[in-house]
Amino acid sequence: MTAPIVTRFAPSPTGFLHIGGARTALFNWLYARGRGGKMLLRIEDTDRERSTEPAIGAILDGLKWLGIDWDGDTVYQFARAQRHREVAEQLLAEGKAYYCYASADELKEMREKARAEGKSKLYDGRWRERAASEAPSGIKPTIRLKAPLDGETVIEDQVQGRVVWKNENLDDLVLLRGDGNPTYMLAVVVDDHDMGVTHVIRGDDHLINAARQKQIYEALGWTIPSMSHIPLIHGPDGSKLSKRHGALGVDAYRAMGYVPEALRNYLVRLGWSHGDQEIFSTEEMIKDFDLPAIGRSAARFDFAKLENLNGHYIRHADDQSLVTMFEDVLSYVPNGGDVKAKLNDTTRAQLRQAMPQLKERAKTLIELIDSSYFIFADRPLVMEPKAAALLTPETRILIGKLRSALEAVTEWSAATTEAATRAFAEETGVKLGAVAQPLRVALTGKTTSPGIFDVLAVLGRQECLARLADQASV
RNA sequence: GCUCCCUUCGUCUAGCGGUUAGGACGUCGCCCUCUCACGGCGAAAACAGCGGUUCGAUUCCGCUAGGGAGCACCA
């Protein structure tokens, strides 16, 4: 029996949960859930300057919205600083780390020298073998790892393959700062170890950190977890994802009317594939997801594909849950309050009735809201410019005549109104389209809508006749 | 500059020595049709370049070019 899988998502709370972080979380979650393992959550808040409480809230909220849950209590890294210090002291006592008294100026000088010489090793190890008695006064020392001087550090990465660094290129990293606080490098290693993490899955911006962290693992005599460094997501132009592109918080995607299922499906297929399959239910992605199938090249973020997927999930959602999503999202979208104010038992029932038609046409919940305008609109309707253009003196007369024809319909339904309208068109000698378009405009204020007879049915006889009267002339 | 990673249609990708290089999004036609969608059918569209290895390279190796990440007492 193999040891249970433990993954973790470890965001630093310096901002919202961005799309790249969401994908990392998703991958960790899928891997754990597909193998009966656990996914842990650790907030890396050791940067006291930049970590904020609202950011923590935004990250938790984003994960929750995406449907990603985690096991056990959330670990806050800062709270574990004492443990990190102990490990640093232990390394010091064992002679695997040392005090470094180099000043900021010295460090800067070393960096500049290294760069000038074309070397990547920034710190020259000058305090590595010096006695503490030589320590200058007035400088609080850092604790540095006594990293191996020669040989290689090798990471067998599940995504990147075997990656090798020459140890001569890696310098003695700082474990504990002068102020006694641990560095990220130390904290991550200690926390992952203490939390029993077996698989580290994170962005490949951490790839080089894996090498340095491995040196810490080795100094400590701990087993290094399985490593997987997934490629970053780029903007549509191939450059680093910026706010201008899609590096938005997941809350922004919610506000744009995307549904979590679609975003998850989009994200899982970004860099990962399973043959030719495009659509994955949650169960399927959990079952099929695997690390070696992740590609090694960065993927560009493509809103068009996300939108297509979103449309797919909206079309396939059942009508009642769509009504619920519709209502829920109103709190997050611009002017959502206006529609919310109009929601009552009647309009809710109309929305539900129209949903089979509406959902065929919407790629986002925003479009769903827009296209449902005719249900919530007050008379007289606000006309879109293209719709207003269709209301000529001629069509207004036509609307008036059609209204009279429809007034005769007593059993009001899509079928009866369609029959009446078709008969009217035939009698008048015009094509159905020539009647349907003005009718649509008068009833919805738009040039596009669900099938017009469905609109008639949803709105009901009285409201339809009134709206037609609003636009008709005799 | 240094270290490391990457490179198949516009985009996401399949491919793991021999394929008419497949799928999806997007684009463009046609059909359906009261509009818009949906759906159906079809089209255009890719192995970065150059050298090897091999009977044979998209596939293996090297170089070049291009892209990316990292280079803190940040995470």
Side-chain angles (χ1 to χ4, degrees):
Chain A
M1 184 178 156
T2 50
I5 302 288
V6 180
T7 66
R8 84 326 194 247
F9 178 54
S12 45
T14 54
F16 43 50
L17 175 64
H18 60 84
I19 205 71
R23 187 177 61 146
T24 301
L26 178 64
F27 283 12
N28 275 285
W29 183 76
L30 291 173
Y31 193 75
R33 291 286 174 265
R35 272 152 259 265
K38 291 182 174 177
M39 185 184 90
L40 276 21
L41 179 67
R42 181 173 72 232
I43 304 292
E44 308 213 317
D45 55 352
T46 53
D47 185 344
R48 306 312 288 169
E49 301 282 305
R50 298 194 299 153
S51 298
T52 68
E53 202 59 44
I56 294 174
I59 290 167
L60 301 188
D61 185 49
L63 289 173
K64 200 175 153 194
W65 178 70
L66 270 175
I68 295 174
D69 58 355
W70 58 93
D71 300 287
D73 294 332
T74 303
V75 173
Y76 290 85
Q77 192 162 59
F78 182 69
R80 295 178 37 81
Q82 185 52 40
R83 162 69 175 152
H84 303 146
R85 272 190 284 277
E86 284 166 16
V87 173
E89 299 289 348
Q90 178 197 330
L91 249 15
L92 194 63
E94 291 171 355
K96 289 168 179 166
Y98 60 93
Y99 282 119
C100 168
Y101 293 87
S103 68
D105 286 344
E106 280 181 86
L107 257 16
K108 192 180 172 212
E109 200 176 294
M110 277 184 258
R111 272 198 291 274
E112 282 164 2
K113 184 163 177 279
R115 202 182 178 96
E117 292 173 352
K119 301 267 175 58
S120 64
K121 190 164 174 167
L122 266 20
Y123 175 74
D124 63 9
R126 59 182 57 179
W127 283 93
R128 197 174 161 108
E129 304 298 345
R130 284 168 80 172
S133 55
E134 293 179 63
S137 59
I139 289 186
K140 287 206 188 293
T142 60
I143 295 180
R144 284 184 186 266
L145 179 74
K146 211 175 262 186
L149 266 11
D150 47 33
E152 293 173 336
T153 294
V154 179
I155 295 292
E156 298 287 353
D157 193 283
Q158 294 235 57
V159 174
Q160 304 290 335
R162 182 187 166 90
V163 188
V164 182
W165 286 268
K166 288 192 176 69
N167 285 333
E168 63 191 55
N169 290 325
L170 269 15
D171 59 12
D172 292 346
L173 66 266
V174 173
L175 298 171
L176 207 65
R177 299 188 184 104
D179 66 4
N181 284 317
T183 59
Y184 163 78
M185 223 57 88
L186 204 223
V188 166
V189 169
V190 174
D191 290 347
D192 281 341
H193 174 265
D194 289 1
M195 291 163 76
V197 172
T198 60
H199 292 254
V200 170
I201 304 168
R202 82 240 283 200
D204 72 6
D205 50 336
H206 285 289
L207 185 55
I208 201 160
N209 292 338
R212 323 200 75 189
Q213 287 163 14
K214 186 178 185 188
Q215 295 184 332
I216 302 178
Y217 274 101
E218 287 181 337
L220 256 5
W222 293 346
T223 322
I224 185 168
S226 157
M227 292 285 178
S228 298
H229 288 87
I230 63 178
L232 268 17
I233 300 174
H234 285 177
D237 59 359
S239 64
K240 190 178 176 177
L241 203 55
S242 68
K243 284 185 185 176
R244 184 165 47 87
H245 298 128
L248 308 160
V250 295
D251 58 313
Y253 291 87
R254 171 166 57 192
M256 286 186 278
Y258 294 107
V259 299
E261 293 79 2
L263 193 56
R264 279 210 306 259
N265 198 146
Y266 178 70
L267 253 18
V268 81
R269 279 285 289 102
L270 209 54
W272 175 80
S273 61
H274 184 68
D276 282 339
Q277 190 172 348
E278 297 286 346
I279 304 292
F280 290 85
S281 67
T282 304
E283 295 68 33
E284 287 173 321
M285 57 176 88
I286 286 173
K287 179 171 70 68
D288 294 330
F289 181 78
D290 202 5
L291 267 6
I294 299 172
R296 281 182 294 272
S297 57
R300 299 183 188 202
F301 195 89
D302 182 10
F303 271 101
K305 189 145 187 173
L306 204 210
E307 199 155 271
N308 171 271
L309 242 15
N310 207 53
H312 174 271
Y313 280 96
I314 287 178
R315 283 196 296 282
H316 290 265
D318 73 84
D319 301 329
Q320 189 50 54
S321 57
L322 238 17
V323 171
T324 305
M325 282 190 253
F326 183 104
E327 289 192 47
D328 289 347
V329 82
L330 289 177
S331 311
Y332 302 98
V333 306
N335 306 323
D338 298 349
V339 177
K340 205 169 196 168
K342 296 278 175 52
L343 267 171
N344 55 44
D345 289 349
T346 306
T347 52
R348 198 174 277 118
Q350 287 177 308
L351 181 63
R352 171 66 211 268
Q353 190 190 345
M355 199 53 87
Q357 294 279 322
L358 292 173
K359 70 182 182 184
E360 286 294 320
R361 280 154 248 266
K363 291 196 291 291
T364 66
L365 294 177
I366 299 292
E367 290 182 9
L368 198 62
I369 293 169
D370 286 346
S371 63
S372 69
Y373 167 76
F374 70 90
I375 292 172
F376 302 101
D378 288 320
R379 291 179 41 226
L381 265 47
V382 176
M383 294 283 151
E384 279 186 343
K386 271 192 282 184
L390 245 69
L391 290 171
T392 62
E394 292 74 30
T395 54
R396 286 185 189 279
I397 290 169
L398 190 69
I399 288 170
K401 289 179 182 164
L402 177 60
R403 184 186 178 284
S404 306
L406 286 171
E407 202 169 13
V409 178
T410 48
E411 293 292 317
W412 197 265
S413 72
T416 55
T417 53
E418 174 164 3
T421 307
R422 284 187 185 277
F424 171 80
E426 205 163 314
E427 285 162 22
T428 321
V430 299
K431 287 188 174 178
L432 182 61
V435 181
Q437 254 335 63
L439 179 58
R440 169 170 289 111
V441 165
L443 293 180
T444 69
K446 296 172 189 280
T447 52
T448 64
S449 82
I452 194 59
F453 305 113
D454 293 300
V455 171
L456 259 330
V458 167
L459 253 20
R461 182 173 186 271
Q462 192 184 349
E463 180 67 17
C464 287
L465 294 178
R467 290 187 187 190
L468 288 172
D470 289 342
Q471 307 303 333
S473 61
V474 206

